[in-house]
Amino acid sequence: MSQLGTLDAGSRHDLRVGISPDAPDESQAPDDGEGLFGYAHSYETASRYDGPGLRVVLFVSGCLLRCSYCHNPDTWHLKDGTYISARQAIDRLKGFASALRALDGGLTISGGEPMVQLAFTRRILAGAKQLGLHTAIETSGFLGDRADERYLSALDLVLLDIKSSNPETYRRVTGRDLAPTLRFAERLATIGKPVWVRFTLVPGFTDDPANVEGIARFVAPMKNVEWVEVQPFHQLGAFKWKAMGLEYKHLDTQSPTPDLINRVLEQFRSAGCRAR
Ligand code: SF4
């Protein structure tokens, strides 16, 4: 059993590893319990980037994907996170609630993958709703089948990362199947849940025009998709791969040029998406 730790403010760019060595493997995280306790990396208090308004962003631990360009490999394993109670997270959120409400913001749970610890993140989202806050998760959608109605009803917005429209590219980049993500996107469209699609533009990996076109054509008819956000690849996470002794394929990958970003934005806009 892991020792209860302190939920420290920090940044997604902090390297945190080996904090809870007794944690279960992320593939076996309890996802159907009470969700009283779970593992978290850190939280940020003033994001204007991860959903509308001013956000508190809680980065939880555990992810089943292994994206080759992941900026936060120290969120992959529960054992690298701090063991905290959902109550600690909600109490901390309480201190910011009036400012978040005043600035039309709320809570975003990112990671890692929030649905690895489904009951834990559901409990925190429900706590945020009780504080009158707007709620969001950032997810790859790979575990979307786990999200029951109770989970979705605690969510005002889903930031859905669609990393590729091509199953082979998706597998090459993430190590997993694309189908669950598309299935989750279609389900969110069916129930009209607001979604911002996020696409990480990695030159030489995801920038193929046909790949972008495939996502654009898939997303364009979905009336619930409010934005497509193109996120340029950067090297800010490279130091974590090195520190963790992981093989990093992107040492020589450049950030996309403004021309490439514009080409991709134009592809989404031409297909009928609101893109930025
Ligand atoms: S889904 Fe996100 S956290 Fe998981 S490996 Fe990919 S980029 Fe990293």
Side-chain angles (χ1 to χ4, degrees), residues 216-235:
R217 269 192 275 111
F218 176 73
V219 166
M222 296 179 166
K223 304 253 181 297
N224 62 318
V225 175
E226 298 175 351
W227 284 106
V228 173
E229 298 189 312
V230 175
Q231 303 190 301
F233 166 81
H234 59 69
Q235 291 281 7

Side-chain angles (χ1 to χ4, degrees), residues 103-157:
L103 293 164
D104 299 323
L107 170 70
T108 300
I109 302 184
S110 182
E113 164 56 59
M115 287 189 272
V116 165
Q117 302 184 83
L118 193 82
F120 177 60
T121 53
R122 179 173 55 213
R123 183 171 281 272
I124 296 171
L125 291 166
K129 292 298 312 165
Q130 280 181 354
L131 294 171
L133 296 176
H134 178 278
T135 56
I137 59 167
E138 176 165 23
T139 175
S140 73
F142 180 68
L143 298 176
D145 289 349
R146 285 188 181 179
D148 55 15
E149 277 182 34
R150 230 173 107 213
Y151 196 85
L152 295 177
S153 67
L155 273 177
D156 295 311
L157 174 70

Side-chain angles (χ1 to χ4, degrees), residues 63 65-67 70 75-76 111-112 140 163:
C63 186
L65 274 57
R66 294 292 178 262
C67 300
C70 180
T75 64
W76 289 351
S140 73
K163 295 157 194 292

Side-chain angles (χ1 to χ4, degrees), residues 27 30 58 95-96 139 141 147 153 170 211 224:
S27 62
L58 175 65
F96 303 104
T139 175
S153 67
Y170 195 90
N211 183 43
N224 62 318

Side-chain angles (χ1 to χ4, degrees), residues 47-56 100 103-108 134-136 156-159 196 198 226-227 229 276:
S47 168
R48 289 206 166 267
Y49 180 63
D50 302 287
L54 190 79
R55 320 289 300 178
V56 164
L100 295 173
L103 293 164
D104 299 323
L107 170 70
T108 300
H134 178 278
T135 56
D156 295 311
L157 174 70
V158 177
L159 307 176
W196 294 4
R198 294 184 142 187
E226 298 175 351
W227 284 106
E229 298 189 312
R276 60 187 178 189

